[in-house]
Amino acid sequence: MRALTWQGKRDVRVETVPDPRIEDPTDVIVRITSTGVCGSDLHLYEVLGPFLDPGDILGHEPMGIVEEVGPEVTALAPGDRVVVPFNVSCGHCYMCDRGLQSQCETTQVRERGTGASLFGYTKLYGQVPGGQAELLRVPFGNTLPIKVPHGPADDRFVYLSDVLPTAWQAVEYAAIPPGGSVTVLGLGPIGAMAARIARHRGAGLVVGVDLVPERLSRAAADGVKCLDLRRHGKDLGDAIRDLTDGRGTDAVIDAVGMEAHGAPVAKAAHGMVGLLPDALGERLMETMGVDRLAALRAAIDVVRRGGTISVSGVYGGAADPLPMLTMFDKQLQIRMGQANVRRWVDDILPLLTDEDPLGVDGFATHRLPLEEGPQVYKTFQQKQDGMIKTLLIP
Ligand SMILES: NC(=O)c1ccc[n+]([C@@H]2O[C@H](COP(=O)([O-])OP(=O)(O)OC[C@H]3O[C@@H](n4cnc5c(N)ncnc54)[C@H](O)[C@@H]3O)[C@@H](O)[C@H]2O)c1
Ligand SMILES: [Zn+2]
Ligand SMILES: [Zn+2]
């Protein structure tokens, strides 16, 4: 089959690789029909190289048609249409029972001390072959894949794999009071969808911050009060306090993560780690790694006293300097983590209707053949061509 593989920093290629096979009796093989490219993939493209091997298959936002099922799969049959959550979760362990599928105890990567395995996401998360490919082996076929109806285009359902549950959890963890206010830092796919969900669920004021013009204008069209970081780099906190009686917003969602614009020292450190031999780079990241913290620091500044910060952006540092004095003094609550995809599906599915209240049908800015994957990664990273969300079609 054809699959998009990681080869090195800013080097991904579509190659011919062996087809996946049923390995366990509850496996299913899915023929992928649409597969998203995520901001998380950009971390693999840029800074997480020490945790990948050339040839690793990327991608964790796929959907498609079941092609083959293992002998113990009863919940699905060939021909069924499914979306695959990005967490590999078993559905019946202590953590899955509590809706913490990103911590699944059956797939935790214990030798690395990390949570549930993820499709297409480094040795830290099990080095599981990903879904930017023609075919994907999906374990736990009776509980993991989300069965969806035939009929509407893939766009209607594909974001159940990541964008929708991640944005839903971001809003849930933000604990915005009814009619209250939230700042969303970063208006990529996750931030844009979180802003829509926050409005849909009754937030009174949603402030959005980014520095890419078309991302700002798209969110503004959704009813978000947008602030351009290029203009408010220094006075963002004051600008947001001006909108909220001097207090800051009740909640802040960080939908940026470790590669934030505006953190030059950590950016240099990331560049250096990327140049080291893998073993050294990996050790350095695990012991002394620092994130680019501009977004998280902004969150701490713009949230009101006693407010909540909900971190969806991925961080990976081990020695990040944080302003503990301010965090303690402001009595902040912070929640974070990979989305527990399966946990939110039942809440979201009723919104995926023809009325389309979250606007998923028109969410993708690009729909391109898998073979164009390498160019898509480049364009997406450089934020060119108005690219916000791309679905690759194998
Ligand atoms: N927690 C989860 O389960 C989960 C799931 C999916 C994605 N993510 C993470 O969420 C983050 C966003 O993902 P995405 O797909 O929307 O990616 P993206 O890279 O398209 O979006 C990030 C946005 O942040 C903006 N930005 C950069 N620096 C900023 C700053 N200092 N202040 C405000 N905005 C800034 C960028 O211009 C960009 O539009 C990434 O870190 C990704 O890894 C987490
Ligand atoms: Zn994703
Ligand atoms: Zn589990």
Side-chain angles (χ1 to χ4, degrees):
M1 67 164 180
R2 300 287 283 166
L4 185 134
T5 60
W6 184 92
Q7 298 294 340
K9 184 172 179 176
R10 278 177 238 152
D11 181 4
V12 296
R13 294 177 215 163
V14 179
E15 297 199 318
T16 300
V17 302
D19 287 358
R21 301 229 174 107
I22 302 275
E23 291 172 22
D24 292 314
T26 56
D27 285 352
V28 301
I29 303 292
V30 178
R31 181 163 293 278
I32 304 304
T33 51
S34 295
T35 184
V37 181
C38 180
S40 295
D41 294 324
L42 293 181
H43 305 318
L44 311 181
Y45 196 58
E46 187 68 31
V47 297
L48 292 179
F51 301 104
L52 289 132
D53 289 326
D56 282 354
I57 302 173
L58 304 188
H60 58 267
E61 303 189 348
M63 72 173 289
I65 303 292
V66 175
E67 178 135 312
E68 195 185 343
V69 302
E72 288 175 23
V73 175
T74 51
L76 291 174
D80 284 342
R81 192 183 195 199
V82 293
V83 181
V84 183
F86 77 83
N87 327 107
V88 185
S89 59
C90 75
H92 53 67
C93 69
Y94 180 93
M95 291 295 169
C96 285
D97 283 348
R98 283 157 182 76
L100 290 165
Q101 289 85 350
S102 70
Q103 313 299 327
C104 173
E105 289 186 342
T106 309
T107 74
Q108 270 180 20
V109 187
R110 292 196 165 73
E111 62 277 20
R112 295 277 177 172
T114 50
S117 298
L118 307 177
F119 286 102
Y121 218 75
T122 77
K123 297 172 195 175
L124 293 174
Y125 292 101
Q127 208 166 26
V128 183
Q132 286 164 2
E134 289 180 305
L135 295 165
L136 178 66
R137 179 178 88 92
V138 181
F140 310 112
N142 287 317
T143 47
L144 182 58
I146 304 161
K147 196 170 159 179
V148 296
H150 291 275
D154 281 0
D155 305 60
R156 181 71 61 86
F157 302 113
V158 68
Y159 306 114
L160 282 171
S161 57
D162 181 341
V163 173
L164 285 166
T166 298
W168 193 273
Q169 179 169 303
V171 172
E172 192 78 24
Y173 283 9
I176 308 159
S181 56
V182 60
T183 299
V184 180
L185 299 172
L187 296 168
I190 301 299
M193 188 55 78
R196 288 183 186 182
I197 292 172
R199 279 177 54 79
H200 177 79
R201 295 179 61 180
L205 171 68
V206 180
V207 181
V209 183
D210 205 299
L211 55 153
V212 181
E214 60 274 12
R215 296 180 181 216
L216 289 160
S217 53
R218 183 153 112 148
D222 290 341
V224 173
K225 169 77 192 161
C226 285
L227 297 176
D228 187 336
L229 196 67
R230 291 169 304 174
R231 213 167 312 136
H232 293 286
K234 295 239 156 54
D235 70 347
L236 186 69
D238 290 334
I240 291 176
R241 281 183 286 274
D242 282 348
L243 295 168
T244 51
D245 296 330
R247 295 198 181 90
T249 47
D250 297 319
V252 179
I253 292 170
D254 172 351
V256 180
M258 60 164 104
E259 292 178 73
H261 179 88
V265 174
K267 181 168 185 188
H270 277 172
M272 273 165 54
V273 169
L275 295 177
L276 294 171
D278 269 12
L280 254 178
E282 192 175 319
R283 224 183 61 225
L284 197 69
M285 283 283 275
E286 279 178 337
T287 52
M288 293 162 57
V290 288
D291 292 297
R292 284 148 68 177
L293 289 173
L296 191 55
R297 285 176 181 279
I300 293 164
D301 181 32
V302 307
V303 70
R304 71 150 160 78
R305 289 180 175 274
T308 305
I309 297 175
S310 169
V311 182
S312 288
V314 168
Y315 287 92
D320 286 335
L322 286 170
M324 282 306 292
L325 190 159
T326 306
M327 293 160 74
F328 182 85
D329 180 64
K330 284 183 79 171
Q331 201 169 335
L332 302 188
Q333 312 178 59
I334 306 185
R335 293 195 75 182
M336 63 184 99
Q338 300 283 3
N340 303 299
V341 172
R342 257 296 186 180
R343 158 126 192 207
W344 309 112
V345 167
D346 292 343
D347 294 308
I348 298 165
L349 263 175
L351 301 174
L352 305 181
T353 58
D354 285 348
E355 287 70 47
D356 193 15
L358 301 178
V360 293
D361 287 352
F363 194 64
T365 52
H366 294 71
R367 201 178 282 90
L368 292 164
L370 177 67
E371 296 294 328
E372 288 182 37
Q375 184 58 44
V376 167
Y377 270 67
K378 195 167 172 225
T379 307
F380 183 44
Q381 187 189 43
Q382 295 178 352
K383 303 190 172 52
Q384 290 171 343
D385 196 27
M387 184 177 282
I388 303 178
K389 190 69 186 180
T390 300
L391 297 176
L392 294 174
I393 314 300

